[in-house]
Amino acid sequence: MGGRMTRRVAPMSNAPSGGRPRDLPTAPRPVASPARTLHMIGNAHLDPVWLWPWQEGYQEARATFWSAIHRMDEYPDFVFTCDQVVLLSWVEESDPELFARIQERVAEGRWVMTGGWWVEPDCNMPSGESFVRQGLYGQRYLKEKFDVTASVGMNVDPFGHNAMLPAILRGQGMDSYCFLRPGPHESELPGTMFWWEAPDGSRVLAYRIPFEYCSPPGEVAGQTEKALGQLDRSLGDLMIFYGVGNHGGGPTKANIDSIHRYDRMGTFGELTMSSPRRYFDEMTKRLGEQGLAELPVWRDDLQHHAAGCYSAHSGIKAWQRRAQAAVLSAERWAAVAGHDARADLERAWKQVLFNQFHDVLPGSAIEPAYDDARDQLGEAVAISKRIITRAHNVIAREISVPQESGTQPVVVFNPHPWPVTTRVEMQYGLAPNGVHVVDADGADVPCQRTQSVATTDDKGRGATVFQAELPALGYRLYRLRQGPGQHPGGTLLASEHHLENDVLRLELDPVTGWLSSLVDKRTGADLLAGAAGPHTQVCEDPTDTWGHRVVSYDWPGEEMVTTDIVLREHGPLRARLRVEREWGRSTMAEEFILGAGGDDAVEVRVTLDWREQAHLMKLRFPVGLQSPVATYEIPFAHLTRPIDGAEEPAQSWVDLSGSVDGARAGLAVVNNAKHGYDVSPPSPGRSHSIGITAVRSPVYSWHDPRLLDPDGYYSFQDQGTHSFSYLLVPHAGDWRAAGLTRRAALLGSPVRAMLESFHDGPLPSARGYLDDGGDQVMVTAVKLHEDAPRDLVVRAVETTGRPAVASLHIPMAGIRLVADFGPSEIRTFRIPLDDPLSAVETDLVELGVRRGAFTVEPW
């Protein structure tokens, strides 16, 4: 496809006033012109938040879009490519005249919608469901306001792209994808254009934008030359993006005039005003079926760029995780209760999605931007809590709760579509002698007293922790009775350096405060036998906010010093060990919690008071495994990655599986707030280990190569108190059997207990509304359809990378749905509650019907 080709060149038209200058001759290009067409993509990348607050981005959207409209008036051949639907929504509400002009140009075909997402989000850290909602709200807005949807995905500025995006794009009606990073110096991608294949087998035609997605305001020669220097010339025809960007602006008169001039001169070949859709369509036609089949295939994520962004600004990461979990839970309970909360949920989701923007969630915006992000995500959580509280009270009011003197009814709600057994912490009053917990039949439930969150002289205030066994997406009634009770449970031994139950035995080193042994009694393997290396690793971090050019943060560092170890709790239900450490002006407390009986994971609650500047801390988890394999959770799937210490993005868990003394064994670390990980190989004095970047404190919005003034005053990130939790999950060498994705969901979205009163009602003491069976296929969304509040939408994904048959029991619809799932496949079902047997499979934007096979039967 490369080399010199003969081509018939059409003469240039004499453009009307405002188009090409009339004094330019309408002659064909020189015969010596390169035989190729460069599709010039006029766009205006606009960061709604970055080195400015969102309010400034709001105004700039209007200014930029007026500029694009004016260029269309002046140049009849000018085509504008637009993504980020939030910008259009801002213009709609602030400038109706401009919005009407945009609608006209869209209908004309010169204003082209791409991307289809609410914003250009960070493409690693949001959950799978968040990526679905980016397209759900983006594409549906485009359809409603412009009667179009985007067919080309476009994320020009994010710092990496997770491997499941092709599946999500396909499910949202997009068959191709434009991106910039990683650049040629950062990844050995197979070319400029290639097939990008997700773990489920879905493919999109991907195009790596050469050089830059925006240009200076003057002529485009420099932009074009640098782009050609990076392009795969074998493609022949290529796309080059131009237009002033980042703070908006878009294509200028000088840009467009120079395109016309260089097209007439034939300097670079034919230069045509175009769009990504036109380019992909023409390339598809030119290459033909065989040529498309011969394009290389990339089966991985697109990394790495700005690895520091996986950990910069811990607050925004934690706020996002909390808000995503809250809105998903609110959706489920609104559907269960039959409440049409779609408008409120849309408002909450749009706050969540906006703050996934690629300069907010990665931590690279200015400090004041995070005041807005905190407030906006807080609004999403507040909306969600109101929806959840209303639904829970409506359901609880219908439960039959017989009166029993001296007791306090408690209803515990499980937001997860599978049965959950978990410990519940509950505050109470008016019980000076304490309480014990019984179920609806009066049987004792394992419980014990714990420290109350209230510190008062009220002798009746207290707190208990008890074990709840809950139906899938449902509730169970319990009661608090005054005074001590029986506390059935399994083995639980505890001392200041030792915790043990029926499944696990762990020992702490009194000097380091870290585990010296972690025995899985089911296999006999000690996961830490022969392990060496620090648990805490504090080091100087001279890198900028983004962590540009960082390959790994597994740098030599110092350990925090252990200052105290205290056995805080030792009851019939759980034991809790507290380990306190310090380094510099910073302190950290880790509380190791192990439950009685068959509890097969160690919960660790972390409170870190960080006071260091330009430093970072890794939490490391050394293991004694031989020949391990590292697996990372990504949105809707997982990836195996090299054990090389590289800083990697992931969702909630990382697993290391290998063997101990020839027997298969593994350890997973699950957390509820962090996204920067590594798995490091052995080195002198160290064994294999999993690392989590727990905290990192660069200067806000500091971009290399700018140097910091040694006499300057700067604000450093992550100063103050951080709270998060993680789980240590030993297993027999197959992470799939350990239920890691479900454990992560429960850790990030705990069950909710509420006090209730006595009353009659038609509902039983326990009930579930939807059950996915708790196996390979996991339900990730339960919601009302965007267009039909009497239609239920249920989405599920295969979580292990292996084919499966899923049986979804849906009592709230009175059906059982059985469907085959391929590895990592996402399927979405629309179930009319008035006629559930007529369920269909829908796409990810709930606008179309897919023809997948499944069966539905009454249940």
Side-chain angles (χ1 to χ4, degrees):
M1 287 179 281
R4 194 71 172 271
M5 296 184 292
T6 302
R7 160 186 315 222
R8 184 177 64 83
V9 182
M12 296 169 57
S13 63
N14 196 9
S17 177
R20 297 177 180 177
R22 289 184 180 274
D23 59 349
L24 288 181
T26 56
R29 300 172 200 86
V31 175
S33 299
R36 62 177 171 231
T37 297
L38 299 185
H39 292 249
M40 304 302 292
I41 310 300
N43 74 109
H45 179 66
L46 173 56
D47 293 328
V49 183
W50 182 27
L51 306 180
W52 44 87
W54 71 266
Q55 295 89 339
E56 190 170 325
Y58 189 104
Q59 183 279 330
E60 182 56 39
R62 179 165 48 82
T64 294
F65 286 177
W66 266 123
S67 177
I69 289 294
H70 292 154
R71 298 297 82 75
M72 288 183 174
D73 293 340
E74 296 158 353
Y75 299 90
D77 61 338
F78 173 60
V79 177
F80 184 68
T81 293
C82 176
D83 72 340
Q84 298 204 103
V85 176
V86 69
L87 305 179
L88 295 162
S89 75
W90 286 350
V91 168
E92 181 189 18
E93 65 187 15
S94 65
D95 195 335
E97 178 188 355
L98 172 58
F99 194 73
R101 294 287 302 276
I102 293 172
Q103 289 176 313
E104 293 172 359
R105 293 305 190 183
V106 171
E108 186 184 26
R110 292 175 60 200
W111 186 295
V112 179
M113 299 298 187
T114 58
W117 287 1
W118 197 244
V119 297
E120 283 191 14
D122 173 85
C123 287
N124 280 313
M125 290 178 281
S127 68
E129 279 298 326
S130 285
F131 288 107
V132 171
R133 307 319 161 91
Q134 288 283 354
L136 177 77
Y137 291 112
Q139 293 280 51
R140 293 179 71 87
Y141 183 92
L142 295 179
K143 183 66 176 176
E144 177 187 353
K145 305 298 181 180
F146 304 98
D147 196 30
V148 300
T149 55
S151 59
V152 176
M154 182 167 153
N155 276 295
V156 301
D157 201 21
F159 313 138
H161 309 259
N162 79 77
M164 276 297 282
L165 287 188
I168 294 165
L169 293 165
R170 279 291 190 176
Q172 295 168 341
M174 290 176 272
D175 59 15
S176 41
Y177 191 62
C178 298
F179 69 99
L180 177 71
R181 302 184 183 94
H185 60 293
E186 294 170 318
S187 178
E188 297 297 327
L189 292 178
T192 298
M193 190 166 73
F194 54 92
W195 290 110
W196 186 20
E197 184 175 303
D200 75 333
S202 300
R203 285 185 179 183
V204 294
L205 199 54
Y207 186 93
R208 179 162 62 184
I209 298 168
F211 180 57
E212 267 290 358
Y213 49 79
C214 57
S215 69
E219 65 170 36
V220 300
Q223 179 82 358
T224 304
E225 289 167 350
K226 291 177 180 178
L228 287 172
Q230 290 189 2
L231 283 166
D232 177 0
R233 302 291 187 87
S234 67
L235 286 172
D237 297 349
L238 302 160
M239 273 192 288
I240 295 177
F241 285 63
Y242 74 97
V244 178
N246 290 335
H247 198 273
T252 65
K253 291 181 180 181
N255 287 160
I256 298 170
D257 287 341
S258 70
I259 290 172
H260 291 156
R261 183 169 64 255
Y262 288 117
D263 177 50
R264 176 182 62 84
M265 293 169 60
T267 306
F268 304 109
E270 178 184 353
L271 272 62
T272 182
M273 304 288 191
S274 189
S275 69
R277 179 71 275 159
R278 176 185 162 195
Y279 174 78
F280 283 118
D281 286 346
E282 292 190 5
M283 288 297 290
T284 298
K285 182 178 180 180
R286 202 192 82 192
L287 292 174
E289 188 174 330
Q290 181 175 350
L292 288 172
E294 292 174 354
L295 288 175
V297 180
W298 183 261
R299 298 180 177 90
D300 204 343
D301 53 12
L302 301 175
Q303 311 295 357
H304 297 88
H305 181 86
C309 285
Y310 313 150
S311 51
H313 202 294
S314 295
I316 188 64
K317 272 72 167 175
W319 304 336
Q320 261 289 342
R321 295 275 279 265
R322 180 172 177 244
Q324 289 174 96
V327 184
L328 284 170
S329 181
E331 278 184 341
R332 296 172 184 182
W333 289 117
V336 168
H339 295 162
D340 185 2
R342 289 174 296 166
D344 286 340
L345 287 165
E346 179 176 346
R347 186 161 62 253
W349 264 120
K350 286 179 177 177
Q351 295 287 44
V352 172
L353 301 178
F354 180 76
N355 285 288
Q356 291 169 353
F357 179 70
H358 61 258
D359 275 314
V360 177
L361 183 53
S364 49
I366 56 175
E367 185 173 13
Y370 292 99
D371 293 336
D372 289 329
R374 177 200 60 215
D375 295 345
Q376 290 163 348
L377 291 170
E379 181 188 10
V381 172
I383 290 171
S384 301
K385 284 187 172 182
R386 285 195 294 271
I387 293 170
I388 292 167
T389 300
R390 177 192 175 197
H392 285 179
N393 276 269
V394 167
I395 294 168
R397 177 60 185 87
E398 298 297 306
I399 300 172
S400 175
V401 187
Q403 184 165 353
E404 180 182 331
S405 297
T407 70
Q408 170 64 64
V410 174
V411 182
V412 184
F413 291 89
N414 171 25
H416 303 289
W418 58 89
V420 164
T421 298
T422 187
R423 293 184 293 271
V424 178
E425 295 182 8
M426 189 78 198
Q427 307 292 311
Y428 61 81
L430 303 177
N433 296 319
V435 300
H436 65 281
V437 183
V438 297
D439 63 18
D441 297 325
D444 281 310
V445 171
C447 66
Q448 71 185 58
R449 177 175 286 189
T450 190
Q451 183 174 333
S452 172
V453 296
T455 306
T456 70
D457 290 331
D458 183 351
K459 301 300 183 182
R461 297 296 304 175
T464 185
V465 54
F466 65 95
Q467 184 161 296
E469 297 183 1
L470 306 173
L473 188 55
Y475 67 84
R476 185 177 297 277
L477 174 65
Y478 292 91
R479 295 177 187 269
L480 306 182
R481 286 180 176 169
Q482 296 198 32
Q486 300 298 315
H487 302 292
T491 302
L492 184 58
L493 305 175
S495 69
E496 287 189 352
H497 305 123
H498 169 249
L499 297 176
E500 182 175 357
N501 65 10
D502 294 344
V503 176
L504 302 178
R505 182 175 71 247
L506 61 98
E507 296 179 5
L508 266 69
D509 185 308
V511 176
T512 66
W514 182 241
L515 304 182
S516 58
S517 176
L518 178 58
V519 176
D520 185 344
K521 295 182 179 181
R522 297 166 297 188
T523 63
D526 184 347
L527 280 303
L528 274 63
H535 172 52
T536 55
Q537 191 173 352
V538 181
C539 57
E540 291 188 27
D541 176 15
T543 64
D544 68 5
T545 314
W546 286 257
H548 283 118
R549 301 175 185 84
V550 167
V551 175
S552 172
Y553 280 121
D554 182 19
W555 297 339
E558 298 180 20
E559 294 185 61
M560 297 188 87
V561 176
T562 301
T563 57
D564 201 7
I565 301 177
V566 179
L567 181 62
R568 280 198 61 190
E569 292 185 19
H570 182 195
L573 179 59
R574 73 179 185 189
R576 175 156 56 165
L577 270 173
R578 178 181 177 90
V579 179
E580 297 181 350
R581 297 181 175 87
E582 64 182 18
W583 189 92
R585 297 190 303 129
S586 302
T587 62
M588 183 175 74
E590 289 185 298
E591 297 199 333
F592 296 79
I593 300 174
L594 184 65
D599 191 6
D600 60 354
V602 182
E603 178 185 0
V604 184
R605 299 179 183 176
V606 182
T607 303
L608 172 62
D609 187 1
W610 185 252
R611 302 291 172 178
E612 314 308 322
Q613 298 178 350
H615 281 69
L616 67 84
M617 184 177 74
K618 280 275 187 183
L619 291 180
R620 304 215 65 83
F621 305 91
V623 296
L625 296 168
Q626 291 88 46
S627 304
V629 174
T631 306
Y632 296 72
E633 184 192 25
I634 67 170
F636 282 145
H638 63 275
L639 286 180
T640 298
R641 290 172 171 152
I643 298 176
D644 57 6
E647 189 77 354
E648 300 282 3
Q651 292 281 293
S652 297
W653 58 263
V654 174
D655 177 75
L656 204 51
S657 293
S659 62
V660 173
D661 296 331
R664 294 289 299 162
L667 178 70
V669 182
V670 182
N671 89 92
N672 67 349
K674 306 299 176 182
H675 288 284
Y677 303 88
D678 69 66
V679 178
S680 293
S683 61
R686 290 178 47 175
S687 58
H688 286 101
S689 64
I690 297 170
I692 297 178
T693 305
V695 67
R696 183 171 168 263
S697 50
V699 170
Y700 276 92
S701 297
W702 169 39
H703 196 307
D704 179 61
R706 167 69 186 274
L707 297 178
L708 298 177
D709 182 349
D711 297 322
Y713 295 91
Y714 299 101
S715 185
F716 292 80
Q717 291 188 353
D718 280 1
Q719 304 300 294
T721 302
H722 306 257
S723 297
F724 59 95
S725 298
Y726 64 85
L727 304 177
L728 301 175
V729 186
H731 56 80
D734 184 355
W735 61 264
R736 296 170 179 84
L740 301 179
T741 303
R742 295 179 190 272
R743 290 180 193 265
L746 180 59
L747 186 66
S749 185
V751 304
R752 176 176 182 261
M754 62 173 278
L755 301 177
E756 187 48 40
S757 55
F758 304 112
H759 46 69
D760 293 332
L763 295 181
S765 60
R767 184 177 183 182
Y769 293 91
L770 192 151
D771 190 346
D772 65 16
D775 205 348
Q776 287 176 243
V777 174
M778 175 175 161
V779 166
T780 60
V782 180
K783 63 186 292 290
L784 298 181
H785 192 277
E786 293 298 309
D787 297 325
R790 288 293 299 162
D791 286 14
L792 186 68
V793 172
V794 177
R795 183 163 31 259
V797 62
E798 196 285 316
T799 61
T800 69
R802 296 173 177 174
V805 177
S807 180
L808 308 181
H809 297 269
I810 311 176
M812 60 189 295
I815 61 169
R816 182 171 73 104
L817 189 152
V818 179
D820 291 332
F821 280 73
S824 303
E825 184 177 7
I826 307 164
R827 299 189 68 176
T828 307
F829 304 97
R830 178 177 180 176
I831 304 165
L833 293 175
D834 296 326
D835 183 17
L837 295 179
S838 65
V840 297
E841 186 172 2
T842 185
D843 58 25
L844 294 182
V845 294
E846 301 174 20
L847 287 172
V849 175
R850 300 178 66 182
R851 302 192 179 279
F854 63 95
T855 61
V856 181
E857 59 188 39
W859 184 77

